[in-house]
Amino acid sequence: MKRIWIFFLALFSIVNVYAQKFGYVDTDYVLNKMPEYKEAQQEIDKLSKGWQEEIKELSGKIESMYNELQAEEVLLTAEMKKDRLAEIKKREDELKAYQKKIFGFEGLFFLKKKELVKPVQDKVFDAIEKVCKDQRLAIMFDKAGDLVMIYTDPRHDYTDYVLDELGLGDPNDVIK
């Protein structure tokens, strides 16, 4: 975190020395205005709910195995109880592996989200690049990113320019 602040302080000092133009854009706002992003999000939500239901079902089966074991425990020999516990443990391990495969780092959920959202993000970044070139901006910040902006002068907000570049701007809005 300290390195990030040092980087931005150095960046701002360079900007001040050379008087470069800068601006910011709210990519979350832009993305939420895009129909293809909303469709991607709906698809991701649908997939996620399906996978969560599968996991919930598998978890329910494991829980019922525990309940059966508790109900029959007095009738089981030590060896039978050990075998059942081993089977339950095996199912729990399989469930954890499945959860990791779906929702873990680089899991199916992550990959599908990347597949669906990246083309939309690339479209936004291309529009931002064009706006930067058209407006002769040296630096463009993302208001939606990790950089905390305590104060922003609205004249440096280029979100509407990016929306216009994507064909999503308000035709009644005059931003120039």
Side-chain angles (χ1 to χ4, degrees):
M1 187 67 174
K2 189 175 181 179
R3 287 182 184 166
I4 292 172
W5 283 111
I6 292 171
F7 170 76
F8 282 112
L9 288 174
L11 187 63
F12 279 119
S13 65
I14 290 169
V15 169
N16 287 334
V17 170
Y18 293 105
Q20 299 291 320
K21 277 181 71 176
F22 65 93
Y24 67 91
V25 65
D26 187 344
T27 55
D28 281 347
Y29 180 78
V30 172
L31 287 169
N32 285 313
K33 288 280 197 178
M34 300 178 73
E36 56 264 53
Y37 181 75
K38 289 178 183 176
E39 290 170 13
Q41 286 298 114
Q42 288 172 347
E43 178 71 21
I44 291 165
D45 290 345
K46 182 180 166 185
L47 288 169
S48 175
K49 285 178 185 173
W51 283 323
Q52 287 173 350
E53 286 297 318
E54 282 182 58
I55 289 170
K56 186 176 178 181
E57 185 180 319
L58 292 170
S59 183
K61 287 179 183 177
I62 292 170
E63 188 175 329
S64 70
M65 288 174 75
Y66 265 123
N67 292 338
E68 286 176 26
L69 176 64
Q70 285 180 334
E72 299 171 359
E73 190 170 14
V74 293
L75 304 172
L76 300 175
T77 65
E79 186 65 31
M80 293 170 75
K81 183 178 175 183
K82 180 181 168 188
D83 290 344
R84 289 240 189 129
L85 284 172
E87 180 63 28
I88 292 170
K89 174 77 171 120
K90 178 182 166 197
R91 294 275 176 100
E92 286 176 331
D93 291 343
E94 289 171 353
L95 176 60
K96 286 178 187 174
Y98 183 70
Q99 285 175 314
K100 185 177 179 182
K101 176 183 170 189
I102 300 297
F103 293 109
F105 182 69
E106 298 282 335
L108 293 176
F109 178 76
F110 174 82
L111 295 173
K112 191 65 174 178
K113 187 173 183 178
K114 184 177 172 183
E115 173 191 326
L116 293 171
V117 174
K118 188 170 180 346
V120 181
Q121 289 174 327
D122 288 345
K123 195 174 178 182
V124 171
F125 294 140
D126 290 344
I128 290 170
E129 184 178 350
K130 186 165 182 349
V131 167
C132 286
K133 288 177 181 177
D134 291 348
Q135 299 295 321
R136 294 191 172 110
L137 298 173
I139 299 169
M140 179 72 82
F141 294 103
D142 183 3
K143 185 177 178 180
D146 289 337
L147 174 66
V148 177
M149 294 185 169
I150 305 291
Y151 170 78
T152 55
D153 188 336
R155 68 184 163 160
H156 298 296
D157 186 352
Y158 288 85
T159 303
D160 287 337
Y161 287 97
V162 173
L163 286 171
D164 285 346
E165 186 62 38
L166 292 165
L168 299 169
D170 182 355
N172 299 321
D173 189 17
V174 180
I175 59 174
K176 312 289 186 272

